[in-house]
Every structure is written in structure tokens, then in C-alpha cells.
């Protein structure tokens, strides 16, 4: 199956905390608790501050490949790119 | 009633006591029947010839004037003069016996009362029916309105006849003989005698169908109007030519209802098991449905043109008992070796000998570095990739830059059963950086680990790799 990018970010500023990337093949969706287990940084962020941006598989592929940086628009919950 | 015992005394001789007894008995009979007597004057007495040497001694009254009674005493006259002696009287014989004998010129007469055949008994005297009484009774009997109540009178017979006639015309109590039908296969006609006055509820008629019925047949009985012929369930009846059918009229629905008709239903031969028979609206059928019964039957075909995870198996036509056996399909590739290790497919758990799972993707390296250990146990700060969500535990991992880099690291993690790490058993992580740098990291299970469906592997130690996007491939 294909699973799109899951991006954890700060709700107040849109800064990316962990871009889990996207996957295909023998993969499955993971829960927040599972992600916290492998990425302790997530445990350090207040739950109310932790935002999740789940994208479709392949979404913004070009933008992600060519941008210098990106963050999450806190209003839309979608990535904003810096080229 | 007892009788006088005239027992044989043992001798053939008739002795005087016998005679006396007989005389007494006769006298009693005469008394009982009250025989009448009549007196007669100058009854001539004729000689009773005995023999030439014994003549003129016995003189007897003529037949019909004998049986003299003793009272009044008979008066015997000789030559017209009464005599009182020289003779004895034989009362029963109506005769006199002279002693001495008379002469041939003597004439004897008697004034005597003798018993005649008449008697004084009357029907009234003995309580018997008189002719006129009997006639009166006969007349009364003949004129009586019902002289024999135990027997039917004419009125009774007439009433009975009327009842029978009425019954014969009552086709509710008994169906009429409608004979053999006429008309067409969809519009039968029939008639009966007597004709029915009207189609009333439950009136019945028995017919012989002259042809097989068509669709929705009707019957017109004695021109009372064509009415549909139905089965009890309301379906149109099906009649066979030559068949005898009893129909009853339903006054509510206005249909003739076929009696004794139990067959119904819309099953066809293909709906019924092969060899079985049934009666339906269309008549008797013999089933043609294959009886697959028990056991296993090869599927007519298979298809995967459906939702993921579903295999279609086309069944063979026919009946399955639902408890034993079923369908099967063969595919030589459907073996445990061809299924990834631990994965169950229709209950078959794979061993992974011929199939391994893999996954790939992209991930952003950590924004900060962490401490990892090289094969010589030297700590090295490196930026790393963290992956989770695999459905298998990878044994081979390759990580490489997503975009072209001047010095792209290539990380390879291989299992010890696949190669012999140069840095020791735990040095399974090799990081190659062109042109010559090769670094081995220890897969210590803490900083660098592969655990279940997750792994964290160091990728690069330069700060330029912080938050870099890399690609990865993992194999089971």
C-alpha cells in the first residue's frame, strides 16, 4: 500500500518537528503513540501543540524535491515551500 | 289339555269298559258342542238282514235319523201299535233288537228324537268373530286414513319423490354430471340434466375435459356464463384432455375451483434435483438439477476481479447440501514458500522461502545528530533516519540521497547470514561516502536498531545532512 507523508509540526508556528516521509510496499499506518516510541522528540512536545499533516502519497513531490525549506501553514494545515 | 288314556290293555279284545268309555267320551263331546236333536214321528225301521237263518230280528232307522237320544224315550210301534216289550233299543244305531224275532209282515216305526249334524254353537257363544263383524272391521280398515302407520302412504311416497327430485337437482349437495366438455381449450362448455337454475356458492359439476386446457381456461355451464377455472390457491387451473375434474363454484370470487387439486408452484425441471419428481402449476416435472451433494467439486473458474483480498470461485451448476465439501481451485503457486514469512493467505501461513516483503519511501533525516558507535566502539555523531510502519522486520536496508549530492552517502544494512561484517558481528551498518570513505556502525539495538517494523540507522555525520530528505528501501 502507499502511505503519504506524515508531518508532525508545531501548531503555533508551523515548524516541522518530524517529517516521517512517505512509504509504499508492505507498510501500514502508524499511530501517534507508535511514532512517539520511535521518535522521542514527539514526546517532548505538548500534545496541544503537536500538529499532524497527513498528505496523499506523492503529493507535492516536485515541491518537496526542489524546495530549500518548508513549513506548515498553521491556518490551512498544508505545507508552504521556500524555493 | 289332558286326554282320556285309552291305553292298550295288552289284548286286541274290545271289552265292554272300552265301549263304555268311548260312549262317555262321545257324550261329553256332544254336550260340549251342544249337538241339536230333532223329534220325528213314524220313522220307518227297516230290517237289518243278517242271514237267511236269522231274519226279522233287527230293525233300523234310515241314515240321518239314527243316534236316538234317551230322552224323550223313543216310542216303538209295531204295525202302528206301540209296544213296550220284546225288544231292546240300540240308541246309537237308531235300531231295535227284537226277541223273539218278528215276522216278515210286521212293520215297525219309531217316534224318536235323534241327533242331527247341526249344533247350537254360535260365534257369539264362543266369543268368535262374526262375518258381519269381520266385514265391518274390513270396511273400517279400508276407509281408515292411515290403517298401516308402519307403512308409507301415498302422500309419504309423493313427499319422498319430491324430496328425491329436489335432491337430484341440488348440485350443491351433489355435483352434477357435466359430461364431456365442449368448446375450446380456453373456453370449455358443459351441460347437465336437470340444468342448474343458477350458479350459487359451492354448486358443483363433474366434467371430462375434451382437450388439454390453454391459458386461463373458463367453463360455461348450461349457458350460465363463462367463469374462470382456478386452483384453490387462485392460480389458473391446468386440465388434461380426458381427465375427470370436479369443480365447485365460488360465489364470492366468481370462479370455478378445481377440487382435490393439491399441486401448485412455479418450479421448473431445472429447479428440481435430478431424478426427483414434483407436481406444479405446469403439471408434473422431472428434475434436472445436478445433485452435487457432498464432496469437493472443482470450481468452474476463479477470478480476482473484486475487492482486494477476495478470490472469486465460480460454482458448478447444481445443488450443494451446504454441510459437506464445496468448491476448490488449484494453483501450483499457492504454497507457503510463495507467501512472505508469517503472512497468512486464506489460512496458509507463508514461510517466505520464495517471497519476501519490501517497502520503500522517503524520510527526512534528523535535524540534530546523535551518538552512534563505530565498529571499534568509537562514538560518532551522525544524522539518522527513523522509519516505522513496516509490516515486517527488515533484514536488508539501503538508504541513499533523494537528490544528487556531491558526496552522497550510501547506507547498507545487511544481515550477518548474508555477509560477514568486517567490523564484527554487530557492524552491520556500512556507510559508503565516495570516493573512499567507508564507515561501519554497530547495530547496537539502542542507538541504531531494527525492531519489528521500525528501524533507526545513522546516515551521515556532516551538518549539511541535517533534515535532508533521503530515500530508503527495506527488504524482509
Amino acid at each position: 500500500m502507499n502511505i503519504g507523508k506524515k508531518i508532525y509540526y508545531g501548531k503555533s508556528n508551523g515548524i516541522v518537528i518530524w517529517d516521517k516521509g512517505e512509504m509504499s510496499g508492505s507498510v501500514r499506518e502508524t499511530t501517534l503513540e507508535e511514532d512517539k516510541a520511535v521518535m522521542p522528540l514527539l514526546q517532548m512536545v505538548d500534545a496541544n501543540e503537536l500538529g499532524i499533516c497527513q498528505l496523499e502519497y506523492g503529493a507535492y513531490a516536485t515541491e518537496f524535491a526542489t524546495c530549500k525549506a518548508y513549513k506548515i501553514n498553521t491556518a490551512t494545515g498544508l505545507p508552504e515551500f521556500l524555493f | 289339555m289332558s286326554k282320556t288314556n285309552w291305553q292298550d290293555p295288552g289284548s286286541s279284545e274290545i271289552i265292554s269298559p272300552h265301549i263304555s268309555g268311548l260312549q262317555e267320551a262321545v257324550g261329553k263331546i256332544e254336550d260340549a258342542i251342544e249337538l241339536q236333536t230333532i223329534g220325528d214321528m213314524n220313522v220307518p225301521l227297516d230290517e237289518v238282514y243278517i242271514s237267511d237263518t236269522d231274519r226279522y230280528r233287527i230293525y233300523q232307522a234310515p241314515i240321518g235319523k239314527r243316534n236316538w237320544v234317551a230322552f224323550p224315550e223313543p216310542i216303538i210301534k209295531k204295525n202302528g201299535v206301540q209296544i213296550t216289550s220284546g225288544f231292546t233299543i240300540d240308541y246309537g244305531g237308531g235300531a231295535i233288537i227284537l226277541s223273539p224275532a218278528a215276522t216278515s209282515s210286521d212293520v215297525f216305526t219309531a217316534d224318536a228324537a235323534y241327533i242331527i249334524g247341526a249344533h247350537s254353537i254360535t260365534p257369539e257363544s264362543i266369543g268368535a268373530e262374526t262375518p258381519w263383524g269381520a266385514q265391518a272391521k274390513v270396511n273400517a280398515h279400508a276407509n281408515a286414513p292411515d290403517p298401516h302407520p308402519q307403512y308409507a302412504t301415498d302422500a309419504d311416497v309423493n313427499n319422498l319423490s319430491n324430496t328425491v327430485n329436489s335432491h337430484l337437482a341440488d348440485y350443491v349437495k351433489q355435483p352434477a354430471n357435466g359430461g364431456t366438455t365442449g368448446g375450446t381449450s380456453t373456453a370449455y362448455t358443459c351441460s347437465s340434466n336437470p340444468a342448474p337454475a343458477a350458479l350459487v356458492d359451492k354448486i358443483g359439476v363433474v366434467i371430462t375435459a375434451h382437450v388439454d386446457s390453454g391459458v386461463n381456461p373458463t367453463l360455461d355451464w348450461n349457458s350460465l356464463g363463462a367463469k374462470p377455472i382456478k386452483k384453490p390457491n387462485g392460480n389458473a387451473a391446468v386440465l388434461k384432455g380426458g381427465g375427470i375434474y370436479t369443480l365447485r363454484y365460488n360465489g364470492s370470487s366468481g370462479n370455478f375451483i378445481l377440487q382435490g387439486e393439491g399441486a401448485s408452484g412455479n418450479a421448473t425441471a431445472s429447479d428440481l434435483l435430478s431424478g426427483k419428481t414434483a407436481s406444479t402449476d405446469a403439471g408434473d416435472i422431472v428434475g434436472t438439477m445436478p445433485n452435487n451433494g457432498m464432496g469437493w467439486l472443482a470450481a468452474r473458474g476463479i477470478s480476482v476481479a473484486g475487492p482486494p483480498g477476495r478470490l472469486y470461485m465460480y460454482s458448478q451448476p447444481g445443488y450443494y447440501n451446504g454441510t459437506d465439501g464445496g468448491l476448490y481451485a488449484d494453483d501450483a503457486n499457492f504454497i507457503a514458500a510463495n507467501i512472505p514469512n508469517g503472512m497468512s493467505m486464506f489460512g496458509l501461513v507463508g514461510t517466505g522461502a520464495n517471497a519476501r516483503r519490501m517497502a520503500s519511501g522517503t524520510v527526512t533525516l534528523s535535524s540534530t545528530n546523535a551518538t552512534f558507535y563505530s565498529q571499534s566502539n568509537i562514538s560518532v555523531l551522525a544524522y539518522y533516519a527513523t522509519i516505522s510502519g513496516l509490516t515486517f522486520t527488515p533484514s536488508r536496508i539501503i538508504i541513499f540521497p533523494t537528490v544528487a549530492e556531491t558526496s552522497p552517502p550510501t547506507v547498507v544494512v545487511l544481515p550477518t547470514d548474508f555477509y560477514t561484517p568486517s567490523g564484527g558481528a554487530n557492524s552491520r551498518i556500512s556507510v559508503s561516502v565516495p570516493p573512499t570513505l567507508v564507515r561501519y556502525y554497530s547495530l547496537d539495538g539502542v542507538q541504531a536498531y531494527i525492531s519489528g517494523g521500525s528501524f533507526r540507522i545513522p546516515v551521515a555525520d556532516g551538518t549539511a545532512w541535517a533534515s535532508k530528505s533521503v530515500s530508503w528501501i527495506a527488504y524482509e
Side-chain angles (χ1 to χ4, degrees):
Chain A
M1 68 180 299
N2 295 327
I3 300 174
K5 268 182 183 291
K6 181 190 281 187
I7 302 171
Y8 289 96
Y9 65 96
K11 286 184 177 178
S12 60
N13 52 24
I15 293 176
V16 174
I17 299 173
W18 183 35
D19 180 353
K20 191 171 180 293
E22 60 183 12
M23 303 185 295
S24 65
S26 294
V27 295
R28 61 175 177 81
E29 299 279 4
T30 55
T31 66
L32 174 59
E33 295 308 313
E34 289 175 324
D35 288 341
K36 284 182 177 179
V38 299
M39 182 53 71
L41 181 60
L42 298 178
Q43 302 175 25
M44 301 170 65
V45 180
D46 184 86
N48 295 324
E49 173 63 12
L50 187 62
I52 301 175
C53 173
Q54 178 67 63
L55 299 177
E56 294 291 330
Y57 182 79
Y60 303 105
T62 303
E63 289 84 345
F64 280 114
T66 58
C67 71
K68 294 179 180 177
Y70 66 91
K71 69 172 186 176
I72 303 300
N73 185 317
T74 57
T76 63
L78 295 175
E80 286 182 348
F81 299 93
L82 175 62
F83 295 98
Chain B
M1 170 180 175
S2 60
K3 296 180 179 179
T4 302
N5 182 14
W6 298 109
Q7 191 173 19
D8 185 353
S11 170
S12 60
E13 181 183 3
I14 299 175
I15 59 177
S16 60
H18 293 167
I19 300 301
S20 297
L22 286 172
Q23 287 177 336
E24 184 177 355
V26 171
K28 289 178 180 177
I29 293 172
E30 289 171 346
D31 290 342
I33 64 176
E34 298 180 2
L35 288 176
Q36 290 183 331
T37 61
I38 188 170
D40 201 355
M41 301 292 286
N42 297 321
V43 175
L45 303 178
D46 296 328
E47 181 198 6
V48 177
Y49 176 80
I50 299 174
S51 67
D52 288 341
T53 59
D54 188 10
R55 297 202 55 180
Y56 310 122
R57 194 170 57 88
I58 301 174
Y59 291 82
Q60 188 177 25
I63 294 174
K65 295 186 177 182
R66 299 172 184 171
N67 290 331
W68 293 345
V69 298
F71 298 98
E73 181 72 18
I75 298 173
I76 305 301
K77 295 177 180 176
K78 179 179 178 180
N79 299 321
V81 179
Q82 180 178 3
I83 61 174
T84 59
S85 61
F87 67 92
T88 59
I89 298 174
D90 180 358
Y91 292 94
I96 59 174
I97 304 166
L98 298 174
S99 179
T103 64
S104 61
S105 60
D106 290 335
V107 175
F108 292 91
T109 62
D111 298 339
Y114 54 84
I115 296 173
I116 62 176
H119 59 80
S120 61
I121 296 175
T122 64
E124 291 87 341
S125 68
I126 61 174
E129 184 62 270
T130 63
W132 49 89
Q135 184 62 52
K137 290 181 178 177
V138 170
N139 294 339
H141 179 82
N143 296 326
D146 187 7
H148 300 288
Q150 70 273 33
Y151 301 128
T153 65
D154 289 343
D156 292 335
V157 173
N158 288 335
N159 288 338
L160 184 58
S161 176
N162 292 336
T163 300
V164 171
N165 290 334
S166 175
H167 181 73
L168 288 176
D170 188 347
Y171 294 144
V172 173
K173 294 179 179 176
Q174 58 182 4
N177 179 7
T180 299
T181 58
T184 67
S185 62
T186 56
Y188 292 105
T189 62
C190 75
S191 61
S192 61
N193 185 19
L199 294 179
V200 298
D201 193 43
K202 296 183 179 61
I203 191 170
V205 61
V206 179
I207 60 171
T208 299
H210 69 293
V211 293
D212 290 355
S213 62
V215 177
N216 298 321
T218 62
L219 176 67
D220 187 357
W221 181 8
N222 278 90
S223 301
L224 292 176
K227 303 297 180 183
I229 306 174
K230 301 280 192 180
K231 292 183 176 183
N233 64 3
N235 293 337
V238 178
L239 309 184
K240 293 297 182 184
I244 299 176
Y245 299 95
T246 300
L247 309 175
R248 292 277 183 177
Y249 184 71
N250 185 323
S252 298
S253 64
N255 299 323
F256 281 111
I257 306 301
L258 190 58
Q259 302 297 289
E261 173 57 63
S264 63
N266 59 2
T268 63
S270 62
D271 298 326
L272 188 64
L273 280 180
S274 177
K276 300 293 185 181
T277 61
S279 294
T280 68
D281 284 336
D284 294 338
I285 60 173
V286 179
T288 59
M289 177 191 295
N291 186 353
N292 298 316
M294 302 183 294
W296 295 95
L297 201 65
R300 185 163 48 87
I302 61 173
S303 172
V304 294
R310 178 175 297 175
L311 176 65
Y312 291 97
M313 301 176 75
Y314 297 102
S315 61
Q316 299 285 2
Y319 166 76
Y320 300 83
N321 67 10
T323 57
D324 303 293
L327 297 175
Y328 67 84
D330 293 325
D331 188 333
N333 292 325
F334 183 61
I335 56 176
N338 289 345
I339 299 174
N341 184 34
M343 178 180 289
S344 175
M345 192 176 294
F346 295 114
L348 178 62
V349 179
T351 60
N354 299 330
R356 293 177 185 275
R357 284 171 283 192
M358 64 86 66
S360 62
T362 60
V363 67
T364 300
L365 295 181
S366 59
S367 59
T368 59
N369 54 16
T371 299
F372 294 88
Y373 297 94
S374 67
Q375 77 277 21
S376 54
N377 204 28
I378 298 173
S379 62
V380 177
L381 292 173
Y383 298 92
Y384 54 91
T386 302
I387 303 296
S388 65
L390 304 183
T391 61
F392 57 94
T393 300
S395 63
R396 300 160 175 80
I397 301 171
I398 300 173
I399 302 174
F400 53 92
T402 301
V403 298
E405 297 291 347
T406 55
S407 299
T410 299
V411 181
V412 177
V413 181
L414 296 173
T416 55
D417 61 353
F418 184 76
Y419 86 120
T420 301
S422 60
N426 285 334
S427 303
R428 292 172 49 193
I429 305 172
S430 67
V431 179
S432 299
V433 181
T436 58
L437 177 62
V438 177
R439 178 170 289 153
Y440 299 99
Y441 286 94
S442 172
L443 191 64
D444 62 357
V446 178
Q447 292 298 95
Y449 61 84
I450 299 173
S451 176
S454 304
F455 62 85
R456 187 169 84 158
I457 301 297
V459 176
D461 54 2
T463 56
W465 292 94
S467 300
K468 278 282 189 178
S469 176
V470 296
S471 297
W472 57 268
I473 302 173
Y475 299 91
E476 187 174 21

